[in-house]
């Protein structure tokens, strides 16, 4: 099953290569095997990057050179498509993990690895500054606009609280009545008598008022409609706490396996900027790797 999951990622990467180098597709049109999916470009990048991290963090029958080459191959779709949030979150999580190891283990090799990683991130950042896509965003007045947009994004919790009754803080408004993917899909099925609330339209309207937070003129990274806001708005503080507790228990159950730990951080991190934990293709795939790792742990204990 592990090999099948990795084969999916290899196939996805090969298709992305064909789309980019042979068919001449660019940015969001490089979709790998996820043709026609709304988040296809990002899902394709996340798919292959997830497999790359699994190969890197787990023991395989590959030589070090084979492992490095395969990891680079699987990470390459993130550079072929417009996968900004995937790159950002993977870099943040891996940086946190390296720093965590540096502080907790206090080994000299971790220090050198941290310096090397820091150098790579810095060079990547400097390269980003040279691209036309980010030239305006990362220079002059626009960087302050970007910071304002981030603050505006997380003010969504303030906007939600304006319409909350006392119980809503703890149990939310109920599934489909906040800012989850379900709430966004309900209007598409108006022939079914689903109940809904005005909260969804209100938050979308507030987000559309800002140029950078708007889904068309801005970036999905800055969208007010993301998993964490949906979780809080529909299940409240108890639901959010329960969700986090489940991942904490899974991490504990894995005996703090480094791969499981990194993947959980990625899921929670991506959930803080967009609806990735609600994207079936992504969450089923990354959860499958976590489940396999847990199964291996149990098998080794027998």
């Amino acid at each position: 099953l592990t090999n099948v999951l990795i084969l999916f990622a290899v196939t996805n990467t090969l298709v992305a290569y064909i789309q980019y180098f042979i068919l001449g597709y660019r940015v969001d049109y490089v979709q790998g095997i996820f043709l026609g999916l709304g988040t296809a470009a990002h899902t394709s990048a996340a798919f292959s990057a997830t497999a790359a991290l699994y190969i890197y963090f787990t023991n395989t029958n590959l030589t070090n050179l084979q492992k490095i080459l395969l990891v680079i191959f699987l990470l390459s779709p993130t550079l072929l498509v417009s996968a900004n949030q995937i790159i950002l979150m993977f870099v943040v999580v891996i940086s946190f993990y390296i720093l965590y190891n540096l502080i907790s283990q206090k080994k000299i090799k971790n220090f050198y690895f941290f310096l090397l990683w820091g150098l790579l991130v810095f060079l990547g950042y400097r390269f980003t500054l040279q691209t036309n896509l980010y030239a305006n965003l990362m220079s002059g007045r626009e960087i302050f606009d970007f910071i304002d947009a981030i603050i505006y994004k997380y003010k969504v919790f303030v906007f939600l609280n304006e319409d909350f009754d006392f119980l809503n803080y703890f149990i939310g408004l109920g599934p489909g009545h906040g800012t989850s993917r379900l709430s966004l899909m309900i209007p598409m099925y108006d022939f079914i008598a689903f109940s809904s609330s005005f909260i969804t339209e209100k938050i979308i309207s507030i987000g559309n008022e800002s140029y950078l937070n708007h889904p068309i003129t801005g970036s999905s990274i800055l969208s007010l409609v993301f998993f964490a806001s949906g979780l809080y708005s529909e299940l409240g503080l108890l639901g959010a706490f329960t969700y986090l507790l489940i991942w904490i228990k899974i991490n504990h159950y894995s005996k703090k396996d480094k791969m499981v730990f990194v993947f959980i951080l990625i899921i929670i991190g991506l959930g803080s900027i967009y609806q990735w934990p609600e994207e079936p293709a992504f969450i089923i795939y990354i959860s499958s790797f976590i489940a396999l790792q847990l199964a291996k742990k149990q098998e080794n204990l027998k």
Side-chain angles (χ1 to χ4, degrees):
L1 184 55
T2 302
N3 291 337
V4 169
L5 290 174
I6 293 174
L7 180 60
F8 273 126
V10 171
T11 303
N12 174 67
T13 303
L14 288 173
V15 173
Y17 269 57
I18 292 172
Q19 292 168 342
Y20 189 91
F21 293 107
I22 298 178
L23 300 179
Y25 294 169
R26 292 294 183 270
V27 198
D28 288 340
Y29 295 99
V30 181
Q31 302 177 348
I33 61 177
F34 300 98
L35 299 174
L37 187 68
T39 57
H42 288 77
T43 303
S44 177
F47 212 73
S48 293
T50 297
L53 286 183
Y54 179 81
I55 292 170
Y56 178 80
F57 279 109
T58 57
N59 296 322
T60 65
N61 295 325
L62 301 172
T63 65
N64 288 336
L65 178 60
Q66 290 173 329
K67 178 182 284 192
I68 292 172
L69 292 176
L70 185 55
V71 166
I72 292 173
F73 173 71
L74 291 173
L75 286 176
S76 57
T78 59
L79 302 178
L80 301 181
V81 307
S82 178
N84 310 325
Q85 57 187 263
I86 301 300
I87 296 174
L88 173 64
M89 191 49 58
F90 274 59
V91 168
V92 168
V93 167
I94 293 174
S95 299
F96 176 83
Y97 175 76
I98 294 173
L99 184 61
Y100 170 79
N101 278 344
L102 178 63
I103 296 173
S104 61
Q105 297 181 6
K106 298 179 181 178
K107 294 181 179 179
I108 189 65
K109 68 174 184 178
N110 290 337
F111 176 73
Y112 291 138
F113 193 70
F114 180 76
L115 290 180
L116 177 61
W117 177 254
L119 176 62
L120 291 174
V121 172
F122 175 76
L123 292 176
Y125 171 72
R126 295 302 302 178
F127 172 77
T128 301
L129 293 181
Q130 308 306 314
T131 62
N132 292 329
L133 184 61
Y134 292 96
N136 292 327
L137 186 60
M138 293 296 185
S139 62
R141 168 63 192 167
E142 287 77 7
I143 185 63
F144 297 103
D145 294 337
F146 188 75
I147 293 173
D148 288 341
I150 294 176
I151 296 173
Y152 193 71
K153 172 187 178 74
Y154 293 105
K155 279 184 67 177
V156 66
F157 297 103
V158 176
F159 301 140
L160 288 168
N161 288 340
E162 291 173 351
D163 300 290
F164 272 14
D165 293 329
F166 179 74
L167 278 178
N168 295 141
Y169 292 108
F170 299 97
I171 61 175
L173 298 167
H177 291 69
T179 60
S180 68
R181 175 168 291 191
L182 174 62
S183 67
L184 300 181
M185 293 177 65
I186 281 179
M188 301 165 54
Y189 300 93
D190 54 0
F191 56 91
I192 303 177
F194 286 129
S195 62
S196 60
S197 74
F198 71 95
I199 298 295
T200 308
E201 292 185 4
K202 173 189 173 180
I203 298 302
I204 292 175
S205 177
I206 291 174
N208 290 345
E209 292 174 0
S210 169
Y211 180 82
L212 287 177
N213 299 93
H214 193 285
I216 304 300
T217 59
S219 169
S220 57
I221 296 177
L222 301 173
S223 172
L224 272 65
V225 181
F226 56 104
F227 177 74
S229 68
L231 188 65
Y232 172 69
S233 62
E234 299 189 5
L235 299 179
L237 291 172
L238 290 178
F241 175 76
T242 301
Y243 181 80
L244 290 174
L245 183 62
I246 289 171
W247 284 122
I248 291 172
K249 294 293 289 184
I250 289 175
N251 183 57
H252 177 74
Y253 188 67
S254 73
K255 308 300 181 184
K256 298 182 179 179
D257 179 88
K258 57 185 177 182
M259 189 223 75
V260 174
F261 179 59
V262 167
F263 278 3
I264 291 174
L265 288 179
I266 287 174
I267 292 171
I268 294 174
L270 286 174
S272 70
I273 59 174
Y274 200 55
Q275 296 176 324
W276 283 102
E278 297 177 85
E279 176 58 64
F282 169 74
I283 197 65
I284 291 174
Y285 192 65
I286 195 170
S287 296
S288 296
F289 279 123
I290 292 175
L292 284 169
Q293 198 66 7
L294 294 179
K296 289 179 181 178
K297 289 283 184 181
Q298 289 299 105
E299 187 68 22
N300 292 335
L301 291 176
K302 292 180 180 179

